[in-house]
Amino acid sequence: MASVNAGKALVLREKESFDVALWSLAKLRKLFKNAIVIVALLFVWEVAPRIGLVDRTFFPPISEIAAAWWQLLLSGDLTEHTIASLSRSLGGFTLAILISIPLGLAIGWWKPVSEYLNPLLELLRNTAALAILPVFILLLGLGETSKIAIVLYACTFPLLLNTISGVKNVDPLLIKSARSMGLSPVSLFRKVIIPAATPTIFVGIRQAGAGSILVLVAAEMVGAKSGLGYLIQYTQFSFQITNMYAGIISISVIGLIINYLLVTLEKRLTGWKQTYSE
């Protein structure tokens, strides 16, 4: 009997080891698929300037840019500019979430609110954020307030429009079923409408997260003494090309990290949602 149990335990251990190996192999294959194009791009970026396909003065190899990025990090300049940009971006982005999502839920669910606010929304959403940047600077000055305000404005409309769309596109059968079970309007809104609209709301959050960085960088190029946008413009004017590319890559990496964090949060909050791949 003991030998039989030992044999079963051995088989289970071998099966677990086999499952772990398959899981590791699947992870490696996924990592390879995700990284192969980026690695190829970095290889071309390194080789093209060295063999003369592009002018090395204006498009240096990625290894030289990486060295410049490391020097900026060691000197503290990159950290200082990154903190300045992130504080402005996150400030405007957070304010936009706190304002736009409740407002979008109200516009999408209550018809009187929609009738009053939709005309103003249609007017403002067709005005580009950077087009009214001079207005923000004139009214709020060149300080932090104008930078946060322009990020708030740019993030507001992706959040608003996706929140409204999420509420209005909730399955009517789902709403009828909830009402037939005797849910009050408040409970219906809290337990059905908001959860059903959450995936679409997160689309707006991700769009706003990307927009908060892009608009801020452009604003920092116009009137700022710190931030990644200022770093890129200053190094361009002073012909520090490797430092300029280091600033650009830093923005790309920050945007990638923000998107990854938002996607992870979305998966945690909408774990019930079934995707096509599933």
Side-chain angles (χ1 to χ4, degrees), residues 16-93:
E16 289 176 357
S17 300
F18 183 71
D19 290 341
V20 170
L22 287 178
W23 180 83
S24 300
L25 182 61
K27 285 290 184 182
L28 288 174
R29 289 179 61 186
K30 183 178 180 181
L31 179 63
F32 176 79
K33 290 179 180 179
N34 291 338
I36 184 62
V37 176
I38 296 177
V39 171
L41 174 63
L42 294 177
F43 176 77
V44 173
W45 193 339
E46 179 68 24
V47 172
R50 294 187 182 277
I51 64 177
L53 288 179
V54 293
D55 191 338
R56 185 168 180 165
T57 304
F58 302 107
F59 198 80
I62 189 65
S63 58
E64 295 181 6
I65 296 170
W69 184 91
W70 183 248
Q71 290 300 318
L72 282 173
L73 183 64
L74 291 178
S75 67
D77 289 343
L78 184 63
T79 303
E80 177 186 349
H81 291 300
T82 300
I83 291 174
S85 289
L86 284 178
S87 61
R88 296 162 181 160
S89 178
L90 292 177
F93 180 54

Side-chain angles (χ1 to χ4, degrees), residues 9 15 31 47 70 98 101 130 145 168 184 210 240 248 259:
K15 185 177 183 301
L31 179 63
V47 172
W70 183 248
L98 295 176
I101 293 180
L130 293 178
T145 306
K168 288 187 174 182
S184 66
Q240 301 174 32
I248 295 171
N259 184 70

Side-chain angles (χ1 to χ4, degrees), residues 192-251:
V192 177
I193 301 302
I194 293 179
T198 297
T200 308
I201 292 173
F202 261 97
V203 173
I205 291 176
R206 290 172 60 186
Q207 290 176 351
S212 67
I213 296 292
L214 299 177
V215 171
L216 176 64
V217 168
E220 288 175 341
M221 289 180 176
V222 175
K225 293 298 181 183
S226 63
L228 292 172
Y230 168 76
L231 173 66
I232 293 171
Q233 187 181 51
Y234 171 78
T235 51
Q236 178 201 4
F237 288 160
S238 57
F239 212 71
Q240 301 174 32
I241 302 302
T242 53
N243 288 349
M244 180 192 75
Y245 281 106
I248 295 171
I249 291 175
S250 297
I251 292 171

